[in-house]
Amino acid sequence: CFIAFGKSRTALLNELKGEFKKANIVPAVKSRASEFKKWERSLKDYLRGRATLKLPLDPRGTVFQLAVWKYLRSIPSGSVKSYKNVAAGIGQPSAARAVARACATNRISIAIPCHRVVREGGELGGYRWGLDGKKALLSVESAGNSAKSKTLT
């Protein structure tokens, strides 16, 4: 339900607490440690360009946000789409700004790849964790999928 980038464990914990204000945040129980390590390995392998990210997801959002996030997961790794393309892809061609907002509120970065959405002219646009992070993720995907070319359709 939450994946984020941060400069420190404390910063990440504070962001997690900010996102889930009423949650009781506790360390994972030991009986789930091997499962968590598996997810951690999957994330690390993805960030090294070695694998496709495979994690169990539990996204929470509005019907519109869920439609956007589902569409984002269909964009092939190493490819990008514009906010307008995403809006059209979910059947709401005039909702490009709302698509951008859905991307901005995505709590499951990387797994729901909002970094694959760019402005109409191909500029990167915004990213919750900064443009350097967006560039790095797109670079990892391009390197991991060198047989595929980036497309903006």
Side-chain angles (χ1 to χ4, degrees):
C1 63
F2 185 74
I3 301 172
F5 300 101
K7 295 183 182 201
S8 71
R9 183 181 183 92
T10 301
L12 287 168
L13 185 57
N14 287 337
E15 186 170 352
L16 178 64
K17 288 177 180 178
E19 288 290 328
F20 299 95
K21 291 175 178 55
K22 295 184 180 184
N24 181 21
I25 313 268
V26 297
V29 293
K30 288 183 181 182
S31 63
R32 303 291 301 264
S34 65
E35 187 175 17
F36 185 80
K37 289 289 183 191
K38 179 179 159 187
W39 302 337
E40 186 178 41
R41 270 191 310 280
S42 178
L43 184 56
K44 285 180 179 179
D45 286 346
Y46 165 80
L47 291 172
R48 292 179 182 129
R50 297 182 190 154
T52 301
L53 184 61
K54 294 181 181 172
L55 299 172
L57 301 178
D58 187 20
R60 303 294 170 110
T62 65
V63 170
F64 180 85
Q65 288 170 322
L66 293 172
V68 169
W69 298 338
K70 180 179 179 182
Y71 185 87
L72 296 183
R73 295 186 72 215
S74 76
I75 300 171
S77 178
S79 298
V80 294
K81 297 274 187 177
S82 72
Y83 295 101
K84 184 178 177 180
N85 293 143
V86 175
I90 63 166
Q92 301 208 25
S94 64
R97 288 180 67 124
V99 166
R101 181 73 184 136
C103 289
T105 58
N106 171 19
R107 292 179 170 156
I108 314 174
S109 67
I110 304 173
I112 296 177
C114 53
H115 61 275
R116 295 181 189 154
V117 185
V118 298
R119 292 182 178 159
E120 187 67 24
E123 304 89 33
L124 291 182
Y127 187 60
R128 184 176 182 170
W129 290 279
L131 289 183
D132 288 342
K134 188 171 191 168
K135 286 179 196 173
L137 289 170
L138 290 171
S139 178
V140 162
E141 290 183 353
S142 291
N145 296 300
S146 59
K148 294 180 182 178
S149 64
K150 286 187 181 181
T151 58
L152 176 60
T153 59

